Amino acid sequence: MTGRWKFVGRLVGRTDVELRHELFSVRGRSISWLFPLALLAVIAVIDVTTGAFQVISWTVLVPGIAAAICGVWTTAGLGVLAVCVYLLADLVWQDHNHTGLPGLVLVLLGSVIAVVASSVRVRGEERMLHMRDIADTTRRTVLRPIPQGWGGLDHAAVYLAADTEARVGGDFYDIQLGPHGTRVLIGDVQGKGLGAVETASALLGTFRETGYYEADLLTVAERLDQRLLRHRQHTQGLGYSGGDGDRFATAVLVGFSDDLPDAVDAVVFGHEPPLVVGPKGVRRLESEAGLPLGMADIAPSVLPPVCRVTLARDETLLLMTDGVTEARDPEGRFYQPAEDIVRALAVDPDGVVAPQRLVALVRDGTLRHCRGLLVDDTTIFAVRRVVK
């Protein structure tokens, strides 16, 4: 079962086009032409050996199937081959049950239609893959790659978009190294679509600047809150509709400092509290949650406090968006990642706390629980101090 959901985890977020290309490829080479060719051979053999009434007319299925899985030229080639096999079977290989001109016209017409349909499909797939490349570029711009060991942290992350076509959403995370320590941010912008991506980009830009220059973590938190308010004012001024003018974001801001080797500072903006995973067990990061980012106009003098909490050097901080905690099984029960982590710790306490293992464990558990049907963008982010 675990292997199955590891496989599903690799497939989530891919389009039907990409999945079909992978399914009909071996070592990077397409073998999609084998299936309609095999069907043509079977039809020809049945017609010659059994003399079944007009079974050779079924060759019209060959270019039709090719149109669904092959390229234009391959479809055309298989269409021509189907016509040739039809003529051979009808005129040469047997002397009874001739289908004659009507069957030939059927196969010819089917081949022409198949080539046209294949051309339309291929062009649509090219446009879709082009848009997918644009979405990937957008995601890499917003969620920039983070080098291993960046800021003295070992980390791993998984992002699963609920919308496999768009592939980008409002989840965001980053690590910022600076003279005042290393800051970590994860969050989830309310809503979906490009408006949510734009908001996430604005917050990350502010975090990357203030996280580097500001010594006080609370100041970084204030700047993030103010940035979302200004972004919202901007979108309202532009007259955006569809909720773009009233977005908010939940977030967790964490500060690692060399002066605090066994503790971290954390600010929680209405977000799911992180889990602390160590060889001895799992616990929630004890912090006081406040309002989400962008709510300062409702409670202008209320910001979440900076909480200093213990984090041992052999413990990993697991941060997740609500795509994990709101995943439901067919009976409507919410996923509890801590339960899976506890069971895994009982088997391999030292291995599970590694960020890569921990993220993979929660990813597979989430997909297994919801049967691969994600209802929201899902981000799983694990960080710990580099073990020396």
Side-chain angles (χ1 to χ4, degrees):
M1 180 67 76
T2 301
R4 171 191 175 188
W5 292 108
K6 286 182 179 178
F7 175 72
V8 171
R10 293 193 295 269
L11 299 185
V12 169
R14 300 187 183 183
T15 62
D16 293 340
V17 176
E18 292 172 314
L19 294 177
R20 183 165 61 251
H21 286 178
E22 291 185 10
L23 181 63
F24 295 121
S25 296
V26 174
R27 296 181 179 179
R29 295 181 177 272
S30 174
I31 59 169
S32 58
W33 53 272
L34 282 175
F35 300 94
L37 184 63
L39 176 62
L40 180 61
V42 170
I43 292 173
V45 169
I46 292 176
D47 184 77
V48 172
T49 58
T50 66
F53 179 67
Q54 294 186 353
V55 71
I56 196 61
S57 297
W58 294 359
T59 53
V60 72
L61 297 175
V62 173
I65 293 175
I69 61 177
C70 298
V72 178
W73 288 108
T74 303
T75 301
L78 287 167
V80 171
L81 187 59
V83 172
C84 294
V85 170
Y86 174 87
L87 290 172
L88 286 172
D90 195 49
L91 302 178
V92 179
W93 293 342
Q94 62 182 38
D95 56 0
H96 61 283
N97 291 333
H98 291 266
T99 57
L101 184 61
L104 178 61
V105 171
L106 177 65
V107 177
L108 280 170
L109 185 60
S111 298
V112 172
I113 294 174
V115 172
V116 174
S118 177
S119 177
V120 173
R121 176 184 62 80
V122 169
R123 290 184 180 181
E125 290 180 353
E126 289 175 349
R127 287 194 296 270
M128 181 180 297
L129 291 174
H130 177 64
M131 295 303 296
R132 191 64 177 266
D133 290 340
I134 294 174
D136 282 340
T137 301
T138 302
R139 187 178 67 171
R140 286 193 299 269
T141 301
V142 176
L143 302 178
R144 62 180 180 179
I146 306 173
Q148 277 298 335
W150 183 247
L153 298 181
D154 186 13
H155 67 86
V158 167
Y159 173 79
L160 304 174
D163 186 346
T164 59
E165 300 299 330
R167 205 174 185 177
V168 289
D171 286 8
F172 58 92
Y173 61 89
D174 202 3
I175 298 175
Q176 181 58 56
L177 170 64
H180 308 292
T182 301
R183 275 71 186 267
V184 175
L185 178 68
I186 186 172
D188 182 7
V189 176
Q190 172 263 335
K192 299 180 182 295
L194 291 178
V197 177
E198 184 182 5
T199 303
S201 179
L203 289 171
L204 284 172
T206 299
F207 168 70
R208 289 161 186 167
E209 288 298 309
T210 59
Y212 181 88
Y213 288 108
E214 297 294 341
D216 187 2
L217 193 66
L218 185 58
T219 302
V220 180
E222 291 174 346
R223 296 290 185 268
L224 289 170
D225 195 50
Q226 293 168 5
R227 181 66 182 93
L228 186 49
L229 286 175
R230 290 190 291 111
H231 178 74
R232 196 163 69 190
Q233 292 169 356
H234 177 72
T235 55
Q236 287 173 340
L238 292 174
Y240 285 0
S241 59
D244 284 2
D246 58 358
R247 291 189 187 276
F248 61 86
T250 63
V252 177
L253 177 63
V254 182
F256 290 81
S257 173
D258 292 338
D259 297 333
L260 298 171
D262 296 317
V264 294
D265 292 329
V267 183
V268 180
F269 290 93
H271 197 85
E272 183 73 16
L275 295 178
V276 178
V277 181
K280 297 180 181 179
V282 182
R283 59 184 172 88
R284 290 195 178 275
L285 193 75
E286 297 179 2
S287 58
E288 184 177 340
L291 294 175
L293 292 167
M295 294 293 187
D297 53 346
I298 298 176
S301 61
V302 177
L303 271 176
V306 176
C307 299
R308 181 160 294 174
V309 293
T310 301
L311 183 70
R313 299 197 67 87
D314 62 349
E315 291 182 319
T316 299
L317 200 60
L318 178 63
L319 307 104
M320 302 166 288
T321 58
D322 55 12
V324 175
T325 55
E326 293 183 1
R328 300 191 186 197
D329 63 10
E331 286 74 37
R333 292 172 296 192
F334 290 106
Y335 176 53
Q336 303 294 332
E339 297 178 0
D340 280 349
I341 297 172
V342 168
R343 284 192 290 268
L345 285 173
V347 177
D348 184 12
D350 294 324
V352 172
V353 297
Q356 292 78 8
R357 285 277 303 277
L358 189 56
V359 164
L361 174 67
V362 177
R363 177 202 63 195
D364 297 341
T366 302
L367 294 172
R368 180 175 61 249
H369 188 79
C370 68
R371 306 299 191 266
L373 301 176
L374 298 172
V375 296
D376 197 1
D377 296 336
T378 301
T379 298
I380 309 164
F381 191 33
V383 295
R384 69 174 179 181
R385 291 182 174 89
V386 172
V387 178
K388 298 180 181 179

